[in-house]
């Protein structure tokens, strides 16, 4: 499902059909790209994907696809401005919270809702979950189970190969009604529609309009003993003399970055980050394998950037999670670099992006 080679990834990009994507991406068997792990890890950028699609398809044909790409950039822009606010209720306090942690039947893939249980199994086994399943899961946990959103969001992030802190946290907040003043709801008939299932009699088998009025089902009240820890690998040996370090991180594994320049290439795994935001061994292994497959002679180092030499000799690419690193940082590539700052809603942000899209690709 997730090839490691950059060549294979370019093939995936070349095969994107934005027309079929727009028609089917909300279904679990739809034409989703499964590019999210590579976007999160900085192997390819949003503008690169956009430009490749627009080489073959018109702006009108690509509109919905580009809009979906823009969601990810929007969340990143919020993070850049609001910082760690994205890890707390960002605009509105979550209402009616009765439980904390993670519902056991969800974590055990034993909810009795076949699409949800299949999605949880795929998440834990493969590291992926369809976006509609993510929204449904969050809605059941937060808005029917009345759990605080933060700990379940950490559980999901822990398992995701495409774990983007901004997209994950702010998507959960969008569902829980802390970033907009409306909560996302679901129903068994809606789940059956997008997952092509035929479940009935589950604890969400009622009208969607009744979702927020239901008490917490007894099955959701038992919490999962959630211990999330990251097992980091041993560091590779580093050269004694490192006059120039080209530094990669969890969100910057671009094989084309400074490709022809001399320097010791290092993937840095910072322990303090994983204490705050742990990920599974599967995620760590995926990141390391991506780096080793596509970046020649890269070394893995577990530690801090200050360990690698004077800051003027260490180069990396900017990202919100490494804003505290005192090194030389290259700017990121943006889908819509002209639209920066904080927008309270995606569609306020998208209104400006849409104008640029029409002007540049009309």
């Amino acid at each position: 499902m997730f090839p490691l080679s950059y060549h294979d990834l370019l093939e995936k990009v070349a095969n994107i059909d934005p027309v079929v994507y727009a028609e089917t991406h909300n279904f679990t068997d739809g034409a989703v790209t499964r590019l999210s792990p590579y976007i999160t890890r900085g192997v390819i950028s949003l503008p690169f994907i956009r430009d490749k699609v627009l080489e073959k398809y018109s702006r009108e044909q690509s509109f919905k696809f580009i809009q979906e790409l823009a969601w990810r950039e929007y969340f990143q822009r919020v993070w850049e401005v609001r910082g760690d606010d994205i890890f707390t209720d960002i605009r509105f306090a979550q209402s009616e919270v009765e439980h904390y942690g993670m519902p056991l039947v969800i974590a055990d893939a034993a909810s009795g809702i076949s699409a949800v249980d299949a999605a949880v199994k795929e998440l834990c086994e493969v590291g992926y979950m369809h976006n509609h399943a993510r929204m449904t899961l969050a809605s059941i946990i937060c808005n029917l189970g009345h759990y605080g959103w933060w700990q379940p969001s950490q559980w999901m992030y822990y398992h995701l190969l495409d774990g983007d802190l901004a997209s994950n946290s702010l998507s959960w907040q969008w569902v829980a009604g802390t970033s907009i003043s409306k909560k996302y709801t679901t129903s068994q008939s809606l789940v059956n529609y997008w997952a092509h299932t035929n479940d009935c009699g589950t604890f969400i088998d009622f009208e969607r309009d009744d979702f927020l009025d239901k008490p917490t089902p007894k099955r959701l009240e038992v919490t999962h003993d959630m211990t999330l820890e990251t097992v980091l690998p041993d560091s590779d040996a580093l050269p004694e003399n490192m006059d120039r370090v080209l530094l990669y991180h969890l969100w910057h594994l671009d094989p084309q970055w400074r490709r022809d320049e001399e320097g010791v290439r290092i993937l840095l795994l910072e322990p303090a980050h994983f204490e705050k935001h742990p990920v599974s061994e599967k995620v760590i292994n995926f990141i390391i394998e991506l780096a080793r497959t596509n970046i020649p002679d890269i070394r893995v180092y577990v530690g801090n950037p200050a360990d690698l030499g004077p800051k003027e000799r260490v180069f990396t690419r900017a990202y919100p999670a490494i804003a505290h690193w005192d090194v030389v940082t290259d700017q990121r590539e943006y889908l819509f670099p002209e639209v920066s700052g904080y927008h309270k809603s995606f569609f306020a942000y998208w209104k400006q992006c849409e104008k640029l899209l029409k002007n540049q690709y009309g």
Side-chain angles (χ1 to χ4, degrees), residues 126-166:
V126 179
Y128 175 79
M129 183 180 284
H130 186 278
N131 187 58
H132 221 143
R134 299 185 199 199
M135 293 165 59
T136 299
L137 193 75
S139 183
I140 290 170
I141 293 171
C142 296
N143 301 334
L144 184 62
H146 302 110
Y147 280 75
W149 66 268
W150 171 241
Q151 288 173 306
S153 78
Q154 285 184 301
W155 170 85
M156 183 176 284
Y157 175 79
Y158 179 82
H159 291 288
L160 286 169
L161 297 185
D162 66 6
D164 176 297
L165 284 166

Side-chain angles (χ1 to χ4, degrees), residues 185-187 206-213:
T185 61
T186 190
S187 68
F206 44 73
E207 293 298 318
R208 189 177 183 185
D209 289 345
D210 297 333
F211 192 91
L212 296 178
D213 298 325

